[in-house]
Short mmCIF file of all heavy atoms in Angstrom, two decimals:
data_model
loop_
_atom_site.label_atom_id
_atom_site.label_comp_id
_atom_site.label_asym_id
_atom_site.label_seq_id
_atom_site.Cartn_x
_atom_site.Cartn_y
_atom_site.Cartn_z
N ALA A 47 129.59 120.57 85.57
CA ALA A 47 129.54 121.28 86.84
C ALA A 47 130.93 121.31 87.49
O ALA A 47 131.38 122.36 87.98
CB ALA A 47 128.53 120.62 87.77
N TRP A 48 131.62 120.18 87.48
CA TRP A 48 132.97 120.13 88.05
C TRP A 48 133.98 120.86 87.16
O TRP A 48 134.97 121.40 87.66
CB TRP A 48 133.41 118.68 88.25
CG TRP A 48 132.86 118.10 89.51
CD1 TRP A 48 131.85 117.19 89.63
CD2 TRP A 48 133.28 118.41 90.85
NE1 TRP A 48 131.62 116.92 90.96
CE2 TRP A 48 132.48 117.65 91.73
CE3 TRP A 48 134.25 119.25 91.39
CZ2 TRP A 48 132.63 117.70 93.12
CZ3 TRP A 48 134.38 119.31 92.78
CH2 TRP A 48 133.59 118.54 93.62
N ALA A 49 133.72 120.91 85.85
CA ALA A 49 134.62 121.66 84.97
C ALA A 49 134.64 123.14 85.32
O ALA A 49 135.65 123.83 85.12
CB ALA A 49 134.20 121.47 83.51
N GLY A 50 133.52 123.64 85.83
CA GLY A 50 133.48 125.05 86.21
C GLY A 50 134.40 125.40 87.35
O GLY A 50 134.79 126.57 87.50
N VAL A 51 134.79 124.41 88.16
CA VAL A 51 135.68 124.68 89.30
C VAL A 51 137.09 125.05 88.83
O VAL A 51 137.58 126.14 89.12
CB VAL A 51 135.69 123.48 90.27
CG1 VAL A 51 136.73 123.71 91.38
CG2 VAL A 51 134.31 123.26 90.86
N PRO A 52 137.80 124.17 88.10
CA PRO A 52 139.14 124.57 87.63
C PRO A 52 139.10 125.71 86.62
O PRO A 52 140.04 126.52 86.57
CB PRO A 52 139.69 123.28 87.00
CG PRO A 52 138.50 122.48 86.66
CD PRO A 52 137.47 122.79 87.69
N LEU A 53 138.01 125.79 85.83
CA LEU A 53 137.92 126.89 84.88
C LEU A 53 137.78 128.22 85.61
O LEU A 53 138.40 129.22 85.23
CB LEU A 53 136.72 126.68 83.95
CG LEU A 53 136.50 127.74 82.87
CD1 LEU A 53 137.72 127.85 81.96
CD2 LEU A 53 135.25 127.43 82.05
N GLY A 54 136.98 128.24 86.69
CA GLY A 54 136.86 129.45 87.48
C GLY A 54 138.17 129.83 88.14
O GLY A 54 138.55 131.01 88.18
N VAL A 55 138.89 128.82 88.65
CA VAL A 55 140.21 129.09 89.25
C VAL A 55 141.15 129.69 88.22
O VAL A 55 141.84 130.69 88.48
CB VAL A 55 140.79 127.78 89.84
CG1 VAL A 55 142.23 128.00 90.30
CG2 VAL A 55 139.94 127.26 90.98
N TYR A 56 141.19 129.08 87.05
CA TYR A 56 142.12 129.54 85.99
C TYR A 56 141.80 130.98 85.57
O TYR A 56 142.69 131.83 85.50
CB TYR A 56 142.03 128.60 84.79
CG TYR A 56 143.06 128.90 83.73
CD1 TYR A 56 144.35 128.36 83.83
CD2 TYR A 56 142.77 129.72 82.64
CE1 TYR A 56 145.30 128.63 82.85
CE2 TYR A 56 143.71 130.00 81.68
CZ TYR A 56 144.98 129.45 81.79
OH TYR A 56 145.93 129.73 80.84
N ASN A 57 140.51 131.25 85.28
CA ASN A 57 140.14 132.57 84.78
C ASN A 57 140.35 133.66 85.84
O ASN A 57 140.71 134.80 85.51
CB ASN A 57 138.68 132.58 84.33
CG ASN A 57 138.48 131.78 83.04
OD1 ASN A 57 139.42 131.23 82.49
ND2 ASN A 57 137.25 131.71 82.58
N ILE A 58 140.14 133.31 87.12
CA ILE A 58 140.30 134.31 88.18
C ILE A 58 141.78 134.57 88.47
O ILE A 58 142.22 135.72 88.56
CB ILE A 58 139.56 133.86 89.45
CG1 ILE A 58 138.05 133.91 89.20
CG2 ILE A 58 139.93 134.76 90.64
CD1 ILE A 58 137.22 133.31 90.33
N VAL A 59 142.56 133.51 88.62
CA VAL A 59 143.99 133.67 88.93
C VAL A 59 144.73 134.33 87.77
O VAL A 59 145.65 135.14 87.98
CB VAL A 59 144.62 132.31 89.30
CG1 VAL A 59 146.12 132.45 89.52
CG2 VAL A 59 143.96 131.74 90.56
N GLU A 60 144.33 134.00 86.54
CA GLU A 60 144.97 134.61 85.37
C GLU A 60 144.47 136.02 85.11
O GLU A 60 144.90 136.67 84.16
CB GLU A 60 144.73 133.75 84.13
CG GLU A 60 145.50 132.44 84.12
CD GLU A 60 147.00 132.64 84.02
OE1 GLU A 60 147.44 133.71 83.51
OE2 GLU A 60 147.75 131.75 84.45
N GLU A 61 143.55 136.48 85.93
CA GLU A 61 143.03 137.85 85.89
C GLU A 61 142.39 138.18 84.54
O GLU A 61 142.60 139.23 83.96
CB GLU A 61 144.15 138.87 86.21
CG GLU A 61 144.71 138.69 87.61
CD GLU A 61 145.81 139.69 87.93
OE1 GLU A 61 146.28 140.37 87.00
OE2 GLU A 61 146.18 139.80 89.10
#
Side-chain angles (χ1 to χ4, degrees):
W48 279 106
V51 174
L53 181 59
V55 173
Y56 187 85
N57 289 0
I58 291 172
V59 176
E60 288 293 337
E61 298 180 349

